[in-house]
Amino acid sequence: MARKIPDGEFRNKERTKLKLIDAVGEIIRTQGYTKLGVNNIANTAGVSKKLIYRYFETADRLIETYVKRRDYWMGFENRSEEMLDQHKADHGRQLLENMLKNLFEHMSAVPETQKIILWEISEHSKLMREISERREAFGSEVFSIADGYFKDTSVDIRAITGLLLGGIYYQILHSNATGGSFCEIENQIGERRGRLFNSIANILKWSYKEAEEQKKAKQ
């Protein structure tokens, strides 16, 4: 018969796991992902490194737990079907706009997510590759509700979304690294957010309108 875990022991275990997960975030934010060693994680958390192996089996599994909790796109996995159903009527236009704007907010509010993006694009990593593939899988579902709208037009909604995503990532990373303006957009969060959000909405509006006009011209 399996041993029943007392409530106090269970709470201690969960607190320790949370300490270790938080320690990974602190190291990524303050020292960079290259410093994610077992000893450094344990010391930052203030616990024995043996507990990493006890609760997560390996340091890589602990790091994976942290990254999957903090990655913006992983948050959509368990509710993607509901979200897609809600946005079929406008062929995903508002969903794309919301996701892009919320990505900007998320990366601005959670500095360690910026470090994770730098990790993803600067080093081959099994974990980062998996995150990228799962993000792409979700993206495919979003594009699937837009494909019919853009069929037989020259509007490439995937390329447009890619450019918007890349722009958001770089705008935030550049401004955070240099503290200066980019394309003469000042590094004040209010001004930057307003100008970028307005442009995201306009670009998507123009894209959908152009596709509509092209289809009407063919009728």
Side-chain angles (χ1 to χ4, degrees):
M1 180 180 296
R3 181 176 72 90
K4 183 178 179 181
I5 301 176
D7 287 345
E9 183 179 339
F10 177 79
R11 287 195 294 271
N12 287 336
K13 174 183 176 180
E14 293 306 305
R15 280 196 293 267
T16 301
K17 288 173 68 175
L18 185 59
K19 283 183 179 180
L20 288 165
I21 292 169
D22 288 344
V24 171
E26 182 178 342
I27 292 168
I28 290 175
R29 183 174 61 255
T30 61
Q31 303 176 45
Y33 65 87
T34 60
K35 300 297 184 181
L36 287 173
V38 171
N39 291 331
N40 197 17
I41 294 172
N43 290 337
T44 302
V47 303
S48 169
K49 66 181 181 181
K50 293 180 180 179
L51 296 178
I52 294 176
Y53 301 111
R54 179 182 300 175
Y55 296 144
F56 296 96
E57 297 183 4
T58 66
D60 285 345
R61 187 70 60 81
L62 166 59
I63 295 167
E64 176 182 345
T65 300
Y66 171 80
V67 171
K68 288 181 178 177
R69 285 190 181 191
R70 301 302 276 176
D71 183 80
Y72 173 70
W73 302 101
M74 294 298 99
F76 294 114
E77 284 196 325
N78 295 328
R79 52 194 180 98
S80 61
E81 185 175 346
E82 177 185 355
M83 290 174 59
L84 294 172
D85 285 342
Q86 292 174 350
H87 291 276
K88 284 181 178 178
D90 71 348
H91 308 280
R93 174 180 157 182
Q94 192 61 54
L95 177 58
L96 286 171
E97 182 177 332
N98 291 345
M99 288 193 305
L100 291 165
K101 290 179 177 179
N102 289 337
L103 172 64
F104 177 91
E105 299 281 28
H106 181 78
M107 290 190 68
S108 299
V110 188
E112 55 265 39
T113 59
Q114 301 172 27
K115 305 288 187 178
I116 292 172
I117 292 297
L118 290 173
W119 181 6
E120 181 178 339
I121 64 177
S122 62
E123 182 177 295
H124 290 292
S125 163
K126 180 180 178 182
L127 172 59
M128 292 296 104
R129 179 64 181 175
E130 180 186 342
I131 294 293
S132 177
E133 289 175 350
R134 290 168 68 174
R135 181 190 307 133
E136 285 295 299
F138 174 68
S140 293
E141 294 180 358
V142 175
F143 291 133
S144 70
I145 65 174
D147 280 339
Y149 191 86
F150 293 98
K151 185 179 180 181
D152 298 326
T153 75
S154 64
V155 181
D156 188 339
I157 193 62
R158 287 169 174 78
I160 291 167
T161 304
L163 289 169
L164 291 172
L165 276 171
I168 291 169
Y169 284 137
Y170 192 79
Q171 180 81 34
I172 290 175
L173 294 174
H174 181 278
S175 297
N176 181 62
T178 68
S181 62
F182 180 72
C183 288
E184 298 188 342
I185 300 175
E186 295 299 327
N187 193 26
Q188 283 92 29
I189 189 66
E191 177 186 352
R192 185 173 53 176
R193 180 195 291 113
R195 293 179 67 177
L196 291 177
F197 281 18
N198 186 56
S199 295
I200 288 168
N202 281 336
I203 290 169
L204 290 172
K205 177 182 176 181
W206 296 333
S207 299
Y208 276 77
K209 184 177 180 180
E210 175 63 21
E212 181 182 3
E213 290 179 351
Q214 287 187 23
K215 288 188 291 185
K216 285 181 179 179
K218 291 180 180 180
Q219 291 176 354

